[in-house]
Amino acid sequence: MKIFKSIIEFLVGTSIIWLPIVASIIVEKLCEIITMNHIMTVVYISIPVLIAILIKMDIDEMKAERRKGDGRKAR
């Protein structure tokens, strides 16, 4: 257990050196796989979904305000 802890401490201590290198390797591999068409497809799908979520949130907020108003009138 002590050896495992010392290995973790070493990796965390030297992460400022190896973390950017690993990140750049990952980015290069992702750039080979993901193209601009993939990114735009995600954007085109997410915009209508976000608009639908915003509309649903507004409807829920209006319902909550009506419930508050009805509760005050009954009392």
Side-chain angles (χ1 to χ4, degrees):
M1 189 68 178
K2 195 172 188 178
I3 294 171
F4 183 70
K5 185 178 178 182
S6 64
I7 290 172
I8 296 295
E9 287 177 357
F10 175 75
L11 289 175
V12 170
T14 59
S15 66
I16 196 159
I17 296 169
W18 59 265
L19 198 57
I21 296 169
V22 172
S24 66
I25 292 170
I26 292 171
V27 167
E28 285 182 23
K29 295 297 179 185
L30 285 176
C31 286
E32 293 173 2
I33 298 170
I34 299 173
T35 63
M36 189 57 111
N37 289 334
H38 291 105
I39 295 170
M40 293 311 293
T41 302
V42 170
V43 169
Y44 290 145
I45 291 171
S46 65
I47 288 175
V49 170
L50 291 173
I51 290 172
I53 290 171
L54 286 173
I55 291 171
K56 184 181 182 312
M57 288 173 58
D58 285 341
I59 291 170
D60 291 343
E61 185 178 331
M62 288 171 40
K63 286 181 182 178
E65 288 176 5
R66 284 188 203 144
R67 286 186 198 131
K68 286 181 183 177
D70 291 343
R72 289 183 186 157
K73 290 178 185 175
R75 291 181 185 175

Coordinates of all heavy atoms in Angstrom, one line a residue:
M1 N 0.8 -1.2 0.0 CA 0.0 0.0 0.0 C 0.9 1.3 0.0 O 0.5 2.3 -0.6 CB -0.9 0.0 1.2 CG -2.0 1.0 1.3 SD -3.1 0.7 -0.1 CE -4.2 2.0 0.2
K2 N 2.0 1.2 0.7 CA 2.9 2.3 0.8 C 3.5 2.6 -0.6 O 3.7 3.8 -1.0 CB 4.0 2.1 1.8 CG 4.7 3.3 2.2 CD 5.6 3.0 3.4 CE 6.3 4.3 3.9 NZ 7.1 4.0 5.1
I3 N 3.8 1.5 -1.3 CA 4.4 1.7 -2.7 C 3.4 2.4 -3.6 O 3.7 3.3 -4.4 CB 4.9 0.4 -3.2 CG1 6.0 -0.2 -2.4 CG2 5.3 0.5 -4.7 CD1 6.4 -1.6 -2.7
F4 N 2.1 1.9 -3.5 CA 1.1 2.5 -4.3 C 0.9 4.0 -4.0 O 0.7 4.8 -5.0 CB -0.2 1.7 -4.1 CG -1.4 2.1 -4.9 CD1 -1.4 1.9 -6.3 CD2 -2.5 2.8 -4.4 CE1 -2.5 2.3 -7.1 CE2 -3.5 3.2 -5.1 CZ -3.5 3.0 -6.5
K5 N 0.9 4.3 -2.8 CA 0.7 5.7 -2.4 C 1.9 6.6 -2.9 O 1.7 7.7 -3.4 CB 0.7 5.8 -0.9 CG 0.4 7.2 -0.4 CD 0.3 7.2 1.1 CE 0.0 8.7 1.6 NZ -0.1 8.7 3.1
S6 N 3.1 6.0 -2.8 CA 4.3 6.8 -3.3 C 4.2 7.0 -4.9 O 4.6 8.0 -5.4 CB 5.6 6.1 -2.9 OG 5.7 4.8 -3.5
I7 N 3.7 6.0 -5.6 CA 3.6 6.1 -7.0 C 2.5 7.2 -7.4 O 2.8 8.0 -8.3 CB 3.1 4.7 -7.6 CG1 4.3 3.8 -7.5 CG2 2.7 4.9 -9.1 CD1 4.0 2.3 -7.9
I8 N 1.4 7.2 -6.6 CA 0.4 8.2 -6.9 C 1.0 9.6 -6.6 O 0.8 10.6 -7.3 CB -0.9 8.0 -6.0 CG1 -1.5 6.6 -6.4 CG2 -1.8 9.1 -6.1 CD1 -2.1 6.6 -7.8
E9 N 1.7 9.7 -5.5 CA 2.3 11.1 -5.2 C 3.3 11.5 -6.2 O 3.3 12.7 -6.6 CB 3.0 11.0 -3.8 CG 2.1 10.9 -2.6 CD 2.8 10.8 -1.3 OE1 4.0 10.7 -1.3 OE2 2.1 10.8 -0.3
F10 N 4.1 10.5 -6.8 CA 5.0 10.9 -7.8 C 4.3 11.3 -9.1 O 4.7 12.3 -9.7 CB 5.9 9.7 -8.1 CG 6.8 9.9 -9.3 CD1 8.0 10.6 -9.1 CD2 6.5 9.3 -10.5 CE1 8.8 10.8 -10.2 CE2 7.4 9.5 -11.6 CZ 8.5 10.3 -11.5
L11 N 3.2 10.6 -9.5 CA 2.5 11.0 -10.7 C 1.8 12.4 -10.5 O 1.8 13.2 -11.4 CB 1.4 10.0 -11.0 CG 1.9 8.6 -11.5 CD1 0.8 7.7 -11.7 CD2 2.7 8.8 -12.8
V12 N 1.3 12.7 -9.3 CA 0.7 14.0 -9.1 C 1.7 15.1 -9.1 O 1.5 16.2 -9.6 CB -0.2 14.0 -7.8 CG1 -0.6 15.3 -7.4 CG2 -1.4 13.0 -7.9
G13 N 2.9 14.8 -8.5 CA 4.0 15.7 -8.4 C 4.5 16.1 -9.8 O 4.9 17.2 -10.0
T14 N 4.6 15.1 -10.7 CA 5.2 15.4 -12.0 C 4.1 15.6 -13.0 O 4.4 15.7 -14.2 CB 6.0 14.2 -12.4 OG1 5.2 13.0 -12.4 CG2 7.2 14.0 -11.5
S15 N 2.9 15.8 -12.7 CA 1.8 16.0 -13.6 C 2.0 17.2 -14.5 O 1.5 17.3 -15.6 CB 0.4 15.9 -13.0 OG 0.3 17.1 -12.1
I16 N 2.6 18.2 -13.9 CA 2.8 19.5 -14.7 C 3.7 19.2 -15.9 O 3.6 19.9 -16.9 CB 3.4 20.6 -13.8 CG1 3.2 21.9 -14.5 CG2 4.8 20.4 -13.5 CD1 3.2 23.1 -13.6
I17 N 4.5 18.2 -15.9 CA 5.4 17.8 -17.0 C 4.7 16.9 -18.0 O 4.7 17.2 -19.2 CB 6.7 17.1 -16.5 CG1 7.5 18.1 -15.6 CG2 7.5 16.6 -17.6 CD1 8.6 17.4 -14.8
W18 N 4.0 15.8 -17.6 CA 3.5 14.9 -18.5 C 2.0 15.1 -18.9 O 1.6 14.6 -19.9 CB 3.6 13.4 -17.9 CG 3.0 13.2 -16.6 CD1 3.5 13.3 -15.4 CD2 1.6 12.9 -16.4 NE1 2.6 13.0 -14.4 CE2 1.4 12.7 -15.0 CE3 0.5 12.7 -17.2 CZ2 0.2 12.4 -14.4 CZ3 -0.7 12.3 -16.7 CH2 -0.9 12.2 -15.3
L19 N 1.3 15.9 -18.1 CA -0.1 16.1 -18.4 C -0.3 16.8 -19.8 O -1.1 16.4 -20.6 CB -0.8 16.8 -17.3 CG -2.3 16.7 -17.3 CD1 -2.8 15.3 -17.2 CD2 -2.9 17.5 -16.1
P20 N 0.4 17.9 -20.1 CA 0.2 18.6 -21.4 C 0.6 17.7 -22.5 O 0.0 17.7 -23.6 CB 1.2 19.8 -21.3 CG 1.4 20.0 -19.9 CD 1.3 18.7 -19.2
I21 N 1.6 16.8 -22.3 CA 2.1 15.9 -23.4 C 1.0 14.9 -23.7 O 0.6 14.7 -24.9 CB 3.4 15.2 -23.0 CG1 4.5 16.3 -22.9 CG2 3.8 14.2 -24.1 CD1 5.8 15.7 -22.2
V22 N 0.4 14.3 -22.7 CA -0.7 13.4 -22.9 C -1.9 14.0 -23.5 O -2.5 13.5 -24.4 CB -1.0 12.7 -21.5 CG1 -2.3 11.8 -21.6 CG2 0.2 11.9 -21.0
A23 N -2.2 15.2 -23.0 CA -3.4 16.0 -23.6 C -3.2 16.3 -25.1 O -4.1 16.1 -25.8 CB -3.6 17.3 -22.8
S24 N -2.0 16.7 -25.5 CA -1.8 17.0 -26.9 C -1.8 15.7 -27.7 O -2.3 15.7 -28.9 CB -0.4 17.7 -27.1 OG 0.6 16.8 -26.8
I25 N -1.4 14.6 -27.2 CA -1.5 13.3 -27.9 C -3.0 12.9 -28.1 O -3.4 12.5 -29.2 CB -0.7 12.2 -27.2 CG1 0.8 12.5 -27.3 CG2 -1.1 10.8 -27.8 CD1 1.6 11.6 -26.4
I26 N -3.8 13.1 -27.1 CA -5.2 12.8 -27.1 C -5.9 13.7 -28.2 O -6.7 13.3 -28.9 CB -5.9 12.9 -25.7 CG1 -5.3 11.8 -24.9 CG2 -7.4 12.9 -25.8 CD1 -5.7 11.9 -23.4
V27 N -5.5 15.0 -28.1 CA -6.2 15.9 -29.1 C -5.8 15.6 -30.5 O -6.6 15.7 -31.4 CB -5.7 17.4 -28.7 CG1 -6.0 18.4 -29.8 CG2 -6.3 17.8 -27.4
E28 N -4.6 15.2 -30.8 CA -4.2 14.8 -32.1 C -5.0 13.6 -32.6 O -5.4 13.6 -33.7 CB -2.7 14.5 -32.2 CG -1.8 15.7 -32.1 CD -0.3 15.3 -32.2 OE1 0.0 14.3 -32.7 OE2 0.5 16.1 -31.8
K29 N -5.2 12.6 -31.7 CA -5.9 11.4 -32.1 C -7.4 11.8 -32.4 O -8.0 11.3 -33.3 CB -5.8 10.4 -31.1 CG -4.4 9.8 -30.9 CD -3.9 9.1 -32.1 CE -2.5 8.6 -32.0 NZ -2.0 8.1 -33.2
L30 N -8.0 12.7 -31.5 CA -9.3 13.1 -31.7 C -9.5 13.9 -33.0 O -10.6 13.8 -33.7 CB -9.8 13.9 -30.5 CG -10.2 13.1 -29.3 CD1 -10.5 14.0 -28.1 CD2 -11.3 12.1 -29.5
C31 N -8.5 14.7 -33.4 CA -8.6 15.5 -34.6 C -8.6 14.6 -35.8 O -9.2 15.0 -36.9 CB -7.4 16.5 -34.7 SG -7.6 17.9 -33.6
E32 N -8.0 13.4 -35.7 CA -8.0 12.5 -36.9 C -9.4 11.9 -37.0 O -9.9 11.6 -38.1 CB -7.0 11.4 -36.7 CG -5.6 11.9 -36.7 CD -4.6 10.8 -36.4 OE1 -5.0 9.6 -36.1 OE2 -3.4 11.1 -36.3
I33 N -10.1 11.7 -35.9 CA -11.4 11.0 -35.9 C -12.6 12.0 -36.2 O -13.4 11.8 -37.0 CB -11.6 10.3 -34.6 CG1 -10.6 9.2 -34.4 CG2 -13.0 9.7 -34.5 CD1 -10.6 8.6 -33.0
I34 N -12.6 13.1 -35.4 CA -13.7 14.1 -35.5 C -13.4 15.1 -36.5 O -12.4 15.8 -36.5 CB -13.9 14.7 -34.1 CG1 -14.2 13.7 -33.1 CG2 -15.0 15.8 -34.2 CD1 -14.3 14.2 -31.7
T35 N -14.4 15.3 -37.4 CA -14.2 16.3 -38.5 C -15.2 17.5 -38.2 O -16.0 17.4 -37.2 CB -14.6 15.8 -39.8 OG1 -15.9 15.3 -39.8 CG2 -13.6 14.6 -40.2
M36 N -15.1 18.5 -39.0 CA -16.0 19.7 -38.8 C -17.5 19.3 -39.0 O -18.4 19.8 -38.4 CB -15.6 20.8 -39.7 CG -16.3 22.1 -39.4 SD -16.1 22.6 -37.7 CE -15.1 24.0 -38.0
N37 N -17.7 18.3 -39.9 CA -19.1 17.9 -40.2 C -19.7 17.2 -38.9 O -20.8 17.4 -38.7 CB -19.1 16.9 -41.3 CG -18.8 17.5 -42.7 OD1 -19.1 18.7 -42.8 ND2 -18.3 16.8 -43.6
H38 N -18.9 16.5 -38.2 CA -19.4 15.9 -37.0 C -19.7 17.0 -36.0 O -20.8 16.9 -35.3 CB -18.3 15.0 -36.3 CG -18.0 13.7 -37.1 ND1 -16.9 13.6 -37.9 CD2 -18.7 12.6 -37.3 CE1 -16.9 12.4 -38.5 NE2 -18.0 11.8 -38.1
I39 N -18.9 17.9 -35.8 CA -19.1 19.0 -34.9 C -20.4 19.8 -35.2 O -21.2 20.1 -34.4 CB -17.9 20.0 -34.8 CG1 -16.7 19.2 -34.2 CG2 -18.2 21.2 -33.9 CD1 -15.4 19.9 -34.3
M40 N -20.6 20.1 -36.5 CA -21.7 20.8 -36.9 C -23.0 20.0 -36.8 O -24.1 20.6 -36.5 CB -21.6 21.3 -38.4 CG -20.5 22.3 -38.6 SD -20.6 23.7 -37.4 CE -22.0 24.5 -38.0
T41 N -22.9 18.7 -37.0 CA -24.1 17.8 -36.8 C -24.5 17.9 -35.3 O -25.7 18.0 -35.0 CB -23.7 16.4 -37.1 OG1 -23.3 16.4 -38.5 CG2 -24.9 15.5 -36.9
V42 N -23.6 17.9 -34.4 CA -23.9 18.0 -33.0 C -24.5 19.3 -32.7 O -25.5 19.4 -31.9 CB -22.7 17.7 -32.1 CG1 -22.9 18.1 -30.7 CG2 -22.2 16.3 -32.2
V43 N -24.0 20.4 -33.2 CA -24.5 21.7 -33.0 C -26.0 21.8 -33.5 O -26.9 22.3 -32.9 CB -23.6 22.8 -33.6 CG1 -24.3 24.1 -33.6 CG2 -22.3 22.9 -32.9
Y44 N -26.2 21.3 -34.8 CA -27.5 21.4 -35.4 C -28.5 20.6 -34.6 O -29.7 20.9 -34.6 CB -27.5 20.9 -36.8 CG -26.8 21.9 -37.7 CD1 -26.0 21.4 -38.8 CD2 -26.8 23.3 -37.5 CE1 -25.4 22.3 -39.7 CE2 -26.2 24.2 -38.4 CZ -25.4 23.7 -39.4 OH -24.8 24.5 -40.2
I45 N -28.1 19.5 -34.0 CA -29.0 18.7 -33.2 C -29.3 19.3 -31.8 O -30.4 19.3 -31.3 CB -28.5 17.2 -33.0 CG1 -28.5 16.5 -34.3 CG2 -29.3 16.5 -31.9 CD1 -27.8 15.2 -34.3
S46 N -28.3 19.9 -31.2 CA -28.4 20.4 -29.9 C -29.2 21.7 -29.8 O -29.9 22.0 -28.8 CB -27.0 20.7 -29.3 OG -26.3 21.7 -30.0
I47 N -29.2 22.6 -30.8 CA -29.9 23.8 -30.8 C -31.4 23.6 -30.7 O -32.0 24.2 -29.8 CB -29.6 24.7 -32.0 CG1 -28.1 25.2 -31.9 CG2 -30.6 25.9 -32.2 CD1 -27.6 26.0 -33.1
P48 N -32.1 22.8 -31.5 CA -33.5 22.6 -31.2 C -33.8 21.9 -29.9 O -34.8 22.3 -29.3 CB -33.9 21.6 -32.4 CG -32.9 21.8 -33.4 CD -31.6 22.1 -32.7
V49 N -33.0 21.0 -29.4 CA -33.2 20.4 -28.1 C -33.1 21.5 -27.0 O -33.9 21.5 -26.1 CB -32.1 19.3 -27.9 CG1 -32.2 18.8 -26.5 CG2 -32.4 18.2 -28.9
L50 N -32.1 22.4 -27.1 CA -32.0 23.4 -26.1 C -33.2 24.4 -26.1 O -33.7 24.8 -25.1 CB -30.7 24.2 -26.3 CG -29.4 23.5 -26.0 CD1 -28.2 24.3 -26.4 CD2 -29.4 23.1 -24.5
I51 N -33.7 24.7 -27.3 CA -34.9 25.5 -27.4 C -36.1 24.9 -26.8 O -36.9 25.5 -26.1 CB -35.1 25.9 -28.9 CG1 -34.0 26.9 -29.4 CG2 -36.5 26.6 -29.1 CD1 -34.0 27.2 -30.9
A52 N -36.2 23.6 -27.1 CA -37.4 22.8 -26.5 C -37.3 22.8 -25.0 O -38.3 22.9 -24.2 CB -37.4 21.4 -27.0
I53 N -36.1 22.6 -24.4 CA -35.9 22.6 -23.0 C -36.2 24.0 -22.4 O -36.8 24.1 -21.3 CB -34.4 22.2 -22.6 CG1 -34.2 20.7 -23.0 CG2 -34.1 22.4 -21.2 CD1 -32.8 20.2 -22.9
L54 N -35.8 25.0 -23.0 CA -36.1 26.4 -22.6 C -37.6 26.6 -22.5 O -38.1 27.2 -21.6 CB -35.4 27.4 -23.4 CG -33.9 27.6 -23.2 CD1 -33.3 28.5 -24.2 CD2 -33.6 28.1 -21.8
I55 N -38.3 26.2 -23.6 CA -39.7 26.4 -23.6 C -40.4 25.6 -22.5 O -41.3 26.1 -21.8 CB -40.3 26.0 -25.0 CG1 -39.8 27.0 -26.1 CG2 -41.8 25.8 -25.0 CD1 -40.1 26.5 -27.5
K56 N -39.9 24.4 -22.3 CA -40.5 23.5 -21.2 C -40.3 24.2 -19.8 O -41.1 24.2 -19.0 CB -39.9 22.1 -21.2 CG -40.5 21.2 -20.2 CD -39.9 19.8 -20.2 CE -40.5 18.9 -19.2 NZ -40.7 19.4 -17.9
M57 N -39.1 24.7 -19.6 CA -38.8 25.4 -18.4 C -39.7 26.6 -18.2 O -40.2 26.9 -17.1 CB -37.3 25.8 -18.3 CG -36.4 24.7 -18.1 SD -34.6 25.1 -18.3 CE -34.5 26.4 -17.0
D58 N -40.0 27.4 -19.2 CA -40.9 28.5 -19.1 C -42.3 28.1 -18.8 O -42.9 28.7 -18.0 CB -40.9 29.3 -20.4 CG -39.6 30.2 -20.6 OD1 -38.9 30.4 -19.6 OD2 -39.3 30.6 -21.7
I59 N -42.7 27.0 -19.4 CA -44.1 26.5 -19.1 C -44.2 26.0 -17.7 O -45.1 26.3 -17.0 CB -44.4 25.3 -20.1 CG1 -44.6 25.9 -21.5 CG2 -45.7 24.6 -19.7 CD1 -44.7 24.9 -22.6
D60 N -43.1 25.3 -17.2 CA -43.1 24.8 -15.8 C -43.1 26.0 -14.8 O -43.8 26.0 -13.8 CB -42.0 23.9 -15.5 CG -42.1 22.6 -16.3 OD1 -43.2 22.2 -16.7 OD2 -41.0 21.9 -16.4
E61 N -42.4 27.1 -15.2 CA -42.3 28.2 -14.3 C -43.7 28.9 -14.3 O -44.2 29.4 -13.2 CB -41.3 29.2 -14.9 CG -41.1 30.4 -14.0 CD -40.0 31.3 -14.5 OE1 -39.0 30.8 -15.2 OE2 -40.1 32.5 -14.3
M62 N -44.4 29.0 -15.4 CA -45.7 29.6 -15.5 C -46.7 28.8 -14.6 O -47.5 29.4 -13.9 CB -46.2 29.8 -16.9 CG -45.5 30.8 -17.7 SD -45.8 30.9 -19.5 CE -47.6 30.6 -19.5
K63 N -46.6 27.5 -14.7 CA -47.5 26.6 -13.9 C -47.2 26.8 -12.4 O -48.2 26.9 -11.6 CB -47.3 25.2 -14.3 CG -47.9 24.8 -15.6 CD -47.6 23.3 -15.9 CE -48.2 22.9 -17.2 NZ -47.9 21.5 -17.5
A64 N -46.0 26.9 -12.0 CA -45.6 27.1 -10.6 C -46.2 28.5 -10.1 O -46.6 28.6 -9.0 CB -44.1 27.1 -10.4
E65 N -46.1 29.5 -11.0 CA -46.6 30.8 -10.6 C -48.1 30.8 -10.4 O -48.7 31.4 -9.5 CB -46.2 31.9 -11.6 CG -44.7 32.2 -11.6 CD -44.4 33.2 -12.6 OE1 -45.2 33.7 -13.4 OE2 -43.2 33.5 -12.8
R66 N -48.8 30.0 -11.3 CA -50.3 29.9 -11.2 C -50.6 29.2 -9.9 O -51.6 29.5 -9.2 CB -50.8 29.1 -12.4 CG -50.9 29.9 -13.6 CD -51.6 29.2 -14.7 NE -51.2 29.7 -16.0 CZ -51.1 28.9 -17.1 NH1 -51.3 27.6 -17.0 NH2 -50.7 29.5 -18.2
R67 N -49.9 28.1 -9.5 CA -50.1 27.4 -8.3 C -50.0 28.3 -7.1 O -50.8 28.2 -6.2 CB -49.2 26.2 -8.2 CG -49.6 25.1 -9.1 CD -48.7 23.9 -8.9 NE -48.8 23.0 -10.0 CZ -47.7 22.4 -10.6 NH1 -46.5 22.7 -10.2 NH2 -47.9 21.6 -11.7
K68 N -48.9 29.1 -7.1 CA -48.7 30.1 -6.0 C -49.9 31.0 -5.9 O -50.4 31.3 -4.8 CB -47.4 30.8 -6.2 CG -46.2 30.0 -5.9 CD -45.0 30.9 -6.1 CE -43.7 30.1 -5.9 NZ -42.5 30.9 -6.1
G69 N -50.4 31.5 -7.0 CA -51.5 32.5 -7.1 C -52.8 31.9 -6.6 O -53.5 32.4 -5.9
D70 N -53.0 30.6 -7.0 CA -54.3 29.9 -6.6 C -54.2 29.7 -5.1 O -55.2 29.7 -4.4 CB -54.4 28.6 -7.4 CG -54.7 28.9 -8.9 OD1 -55.1 30.0 -9.2 OD2 -54.6 27.9 -9.7
G71 N -53.1 29.3 -4.6 CA -53.0 29.0 -3.2 C -53.2 30.2 -2.3 O -53.8 30.2 -1.2
R72 N -52.8 31.4 -2.8 CA -53.0 32.6 -2.0 C -54.5 33.0 -2.0 O -55.0 33.5 -1.0 CB -52.1 33.7 -2.6 CG -50.7 33.5 -2.3 CD -49.9 34.7 -2.9 NE -48.5 34.4 -2.7 CZ -47.5 35.0 -3.4 NH1 -47.8 35.8 -4.4 NH2 -46.2 34.7 -3.3
K73 N -55.2 32.8 -3.1 CA -56.6 33.2 -3.2 C -57.4 32.3 -2.3 O -58.4 32.8 -1.7 CB -57.1 33.1 -4.6 CG -56.5 34.1 -5.5 CD -57.0 33.9 -7.0 CE -56.3 34.9 -7.9 NZ -56.7 34.6 -9.3
A74 N -57.1 31.0 -2.2 CA -57.9 30.1 -1.4 C -57.8 30.4 0.1 O -58.7 30.2 0.9 CB -57.4 28.7 -1.6
R75 N -56.7 30.9 0.6 CA -56.5 31.2 2.0 C -57.1 32.5 2.3 O -57.6 33.1 2.9 CB -55.0 31.3 2.3 CG -54.3 29.9 2.2 CD -52.9 30.0 2.6 NE -52.3 28.7 2.4 CZ -51.0 28.5 2.5 NH1 -50.2 29.5 2.9 NH2 -50.5 27.3 2.3

